[in-house]
Amino acid sequence: MNIAVFASHGGSDLQAIIDGCKNKEIKAVVSVVISNNSASMALQRVQNEGIDGYHLSVKTEGTEELLAEKLLCVLRKYNVDMIFLAGYMRLLHPSILETYHNRIFNIHPALLPKFGGKGMYGINVHQAVIDAGEKETGVTIHRVNAEYDSGEIVAQTKVPVLENDTAEVLAERVLQREHEFLVEVISDIVDEKIQLGWSDI
Ligand code: GRF
């Protein structure tokens, strides 16, 4: 199975997926990585790993439509079976959602449907969890649709919120759990315990 990972910033989740594939916990390969940010650590990481990475954005391609066409072209070139959004800060064009229907997943650092949606990214999520007085938070992996963080939830895991947590401390604890959970859940997808769509790519 060929996985495409989309990432905008640090790419520590991307690295966890790459490592999981390398040590065969995930029986698949990261075939291509796409970032909308030329300066992202994600693109640096793939260079170090010898994986093909592309910087593609509305800026580089001109319009949303041209960007979508180029993305589809790259995804076809690498025979991509599954797309994983790991810290990708953009919505996907309807043509990509349609072509890869049910084959696109996102990871979110909270227990959706709480603490999701526009503006709920990065440290904002963890600050909101603390402000709400939650005793637990977690990680959600869900299918991707045309809105932020609202597709079908396929897996969740809980992470405790401790009494003196700052948003930064909590963010670190959640991110550590993300790295393990990604490997568990992507393995389940590859092993067909979680179904991919059957669209003819
Ligand atoms: C993670 O917290 C993930 O849940 C969210 O974006 C963050 C990506 O972190 N969607 P990194 O760039 O992989 O380190």
Side-chain angles (χ1 to χ4, degrees), residues 9-14 85-88 106-109 126 175 178-179:
H9 295 296
S12 72
D13 280 345
L14 162 68
L85 308 187
Y88 186 64
N106 180 50
I107 183 162
H108 184 77
H126 307 289
L175 191 61
E178 283 185 42
H179 297 160

Side-chain angles (χ1 to χ4, degrees), residues 44-117:
Q44 280 181 35
R45 288 177 194 270
V46 292
Q47 248 185 12
N48 300 340
E49 297 285 347
I51 296 170
D52 288 353
Y54 291 77
H55 167 223
L56 296 172
S57 66
V58 175
K59 259 193 192 161
T60 66
E61 304 311 303
T63 65
E64 292 285 353
E65 282 64 36
L66 289 171
L67 172 61
E69 271 176 37
K70 178 72 184 203
L71 286 170
L72 284 172
C73 197
V74 170
L75 295 167
R76 288 203 180 99
K77 175 176 172 194
Y78 289 87
N79 288 320
V80 165
D81 300 295
M82 173 188 1
I83 300 172
F84 214 96
L85 308 187
Y88 186 64
M89 303 300 287
R90 290 186 49 86
L91 292 172
L92 293 177
H93 191 274
S95 62
I96 299 174
L97 296 176
E98 201 176 300
T99 307
Y100 290 89
H101 183 62
N102 274 346
R103 292 170 173 263
I104 312 175
F105 299 86
N106 180 50
I107 183 162
H108 184 77
L111 294 173
L112 291 173
K114 282 176 158 183
F115 307 108

